[in-house]
Amino acid sequence: MSRARKGFSLNESKSKQEIYEVAEKLFSKKGYHGTTIREIAQARGILSGSLYSHISSKEDLLFQIVDDGAEAFLGALEPIVRSSEDAKSKLRQGLAAHIGVVTTQMDAAKVFLHEWTALSEFRREIIQDKRDRYENLWAELISEGISEGVLRDQDPKYLRILILSIGNWVYEWYKTTGDLNPEQLADRFMDIILNGAAFK
């Protein structure tokens, strides 16, 4: 998740990026409330006061990490939903895109999924809006699947929850050294969803 910002020199952007990466790891491991500014500064190898030359508050770090995560998920899924491909292909690609974001940015994804509620109300509402937009994109995909006869018109809300739950929890057990890449893993999951696991 790139965080380079206009108006910063290359060195400033690099320093900020390194701080975000440290914060991602600590927030992922210890949680937002369990992590202190002092710990972030120490992990980055600077004094707490020096950290404030790059950020205004710990919440600024959380918001940027979570907002970048929201944009990564939206940016991966929206082109798939808007494409002219058939619903089955979109469903497979959509889950692969979701798992791809999670598995390539494990710490950031975990923070996005579990720590965003620690944000103050105004910032939390911004992220909630983006999460709602993302879930609505999945609702569109499922609706297309029903219209095209790929999915049964039965509990679309819970099917959406099931698909997102599958993708969200991959970070708990996925290994980059495993047998399947994100696309292959998504195909396996979607085969089970589309074809069922029970004997007919």
Side-chain angles (χ1 to χ4, degrees):
M1 299 177 185
S2 175
R3 300 184 183 85
R5 295 288 182 266
K6 292 181 180 178
F8 291 109
S9 70
L10 183 61
N11 286 338
E12 286 175 318
S13 294
K14 184 174 184 293
S15 294
K16 287 175 74 71
Q17 178 66 28
E18 290 168 348
I19 291 168
Y20 285 120
E21 289 171 356
V22 166
E24 283 173 2
K25 287 182 170 58
L26 287 172
F27 292 165
S28 174
K29 181 180 180 180
K30 303 183 66 176
Y32 173 72
H33 291 300
T35 302
T36 66
I37 281 288
R38 183 185 296 273
E39 288 172 320
I40 295 170
Q42 287 177 340
R44 174 62 185 83
I46 59 178
L47 298 174
S48 299
S50 298
L51 191 66
Y52 285 113
S53 68
H54 298 284
I55 63 166
S56 298
S57 67
K58 188 175 75 164
E59 189 187 355
D60 284 353
L61 288 172
L62 178 63
F63 177 70
Q64 194 63 65
I65 293 166
V66 170
D67 191 53
D68 286 349
E71 290 295 333
F73 281 112
L74 284 166
L77 184 61
E78 196 155 21
I80 295 169
V81 176
R82 304 303 172 216
S83 76
S84 59
E85 296 198 45
D86 62 87
K88 185 180 289 188
S89 295
K90 288 184 181 182
L91 286 164
R92 290 184 184 277
Q93 291 173 29
L95 185 54
H98 187 99
I99 292 174
V101 172
V102 172
T103 55
T104 57
Q105 304 169 82
M106 292 275 202
D107 290 325
K110 185 176 178 182
V111 174
F112 167 75
L113 293 168
H114 298 290
E115 300 298 325
W116 72 282
T117 54
L119 291 167
S120 57
E121 183 177 1
F122 176 72
R123 285 175 160 177
R124 193 167 61 247
E125 287 176 355
I126 293 172
I127 301 304
Q128 182 66 68
D129 178 68
K130 293 185 179 184
R131 291 173 70 94
D132 290 345
R133 283 167 52 198
Y134 188 71
E135 291 196 11
N136 287 338
L137 289 173
W138 271 105
E140 284 187 49
L141 281 183
I142 291 169
S143 180
E144 283 186 39
I146 292 170
S147 296
E148 294 183 19
V150 174
L151 301 170
R152 287 182 295 169
D153 188 3
Q154 179 179 341
D155 291 331
K157 172 186 174 181
Y158 290 103
L159 177 57
R160 171 174 50 81
I161 292 171
L162 172 65
I163 292 171
L164 290 175
S165 297
I166 289 169
N168 289 347
W169 282 98
V170 165
Y171 74 81
E172 285 283 1
W173 53 266
Y174 181 81
K175 304 294 183 187
T176 55
T177 56
D179 296 332
L180 302 177
N181 63 33
E183 291 77 15
Q184 293 167 327
L185 185 60
D187 273 342
R188 292 286 182 90
F189 282 137
M190 198 53 71
D191 280 341
I192 295 170
I193 291 170
L194 294 175
N195 302 321
F199 286 112
K200 302 296 184 185

